[in-house]
Each structure stands twice: as C-alpha cells, then as structure tokens.
Amino acid sequence: MYHPPNQKSLPDNLLDISESNLLVGDLNAKHSSWGSVINNKRGVELHNLMDDSAHLALNDGSPTYSSHSYHTEEALDVSIVSSDIFPFCKWTVLQDIGSDHLPILVELKWKQMTQLVKKNFGTLKGQLGEVQRHS
C-alpha cells in the first residue's frame, strides 16, 4: 500500500479487516515503535489505529528508506500484522536494489493443525447408499 505524504490522514477503516491479515506499505508514517527517529502526525495516527485493532508492527527498527540526496535513512515502510499471526512472522530488510526504498521480506511460518477423524468406512458406505436411494 502507498499513502502519499501530501494526502491528509489515513483512512479510518485502514485496519478494519478480518483476522489474520498483513499490511505492508510506504505509508509515510513515522513512529519510534517501528524505527523512525521522530513521530509525525500520521505515525501517531497509525500507531493508535494499530492499538485499537490489535495489530503489531513487524519492523525491528531497521531503516527501510535511504535518501541518496540527503544521505539519511528512515523507517518509512511499515509491515503490520494482526496479533494472531504475529508470532509466526519473520521480517527482514534485504540488500539495496537501486531504489531509495529497500526491499522487505516477510516470511510466514504457519503450521496448520488438522484433526484426524477416523470413521468406520463400512458405516459411511452404508450411509452413502441410503442417500443415493432417496435422491
């Protein structure tokens, strides 16, 4: 997602989505909780939205943006996840590829638990036979 710096505030429903979600983008939102040197209005707004909706930043404080003109680094790109999948995520900033924004890798190590249900095949076969006769 991209939210230009000249646009006003973030949409109120930005994080009003179902559980188990991931939002990654350049939101031009600066906040110390994801590695920015300063907090700007949009960063505070996003931080409050995250608190209200049980979302967390994956960022570890590493810069995600490097200004070649001003020789500064900043954490402008933020990766946000719902709290239910936060423990399964790994966040990494990758090597410079020539852009002022560094690529970000988000890995999801999700193991889905399945329940094994044993049924008597003979009984199931009998039930299917009954269904076929009545249809």
Side-chain angles (χ1 to χ4, degrees), residues 7-134:
Q7 283 188 355
K8 300 219 180 203
S9 60
L10 295 167
D12 289 336
N13 62 350
L14 179 69
L15 298 176
D16 288 349
I17 42 186
S18 64
E19 289 184 19
S20 302
N21 55 68
L22 166 69
L23 171 73
V24 181
D26 176 5
L27 301 177
N28 287 290
K30 298 178 183 183
H31 198 278
S32 58
S33 67
W34 52 83
S36 294
V37 178
I38 62 164
N39 296 345
N40 66 6
K41 183 179 177 184
R42 189 178 295 173
V44 171
E45 181 184 9
L46 180 58
H47 188 263
N48 291 339
L49 281 172
M50 290 167 57
D51 277 349
D52 292 346
S53 62
H55 283 77
L56 302 163
L58 291 174
N59 299 51
D60 64 7
S62 300
T64 62
Y65 171 83
S66 179
S67 171
H68 302 295
S69 303
Y70 298 107
H71 305 289
T72 59
E73 293 182 330
E74 186 65 76
L76 291 183
D77 304 290
V78 62
S79 303
I80 303 167
V81 294
S82 51
S83 57
D84 61 327
I85 62 172
F86 179 82
F88 307 105
C89 295
K90 180 182 176 191
W91 185 86
T92 309
V93 178
L94 302 176
Q95 296 288 326
D96 184 359
I97 57 171
S99 171
D100 51 357
H101 289 266
L102 298 171
I104 296 169
L105 174 65
V106 177
E107 296 176 88
L108 185 60
K109 307 279 185 178
W110 188 282
K111 291 182 181 180
Q112 185 169 348
M113 301 299 289
T114 56
Q115 183 178 6
L116 179 62
V117 178
K118 291 184 179 183
K119 293 201 179 229
N120 182 332
F121 185 77
T123 304
L124 182 60
K125 185 176 180 183
Q127 291 172 351
L128 288 175
E130 290 291 320
V131 170
Q132 289 173 353
R133 276 185 283 212
H134 293 294

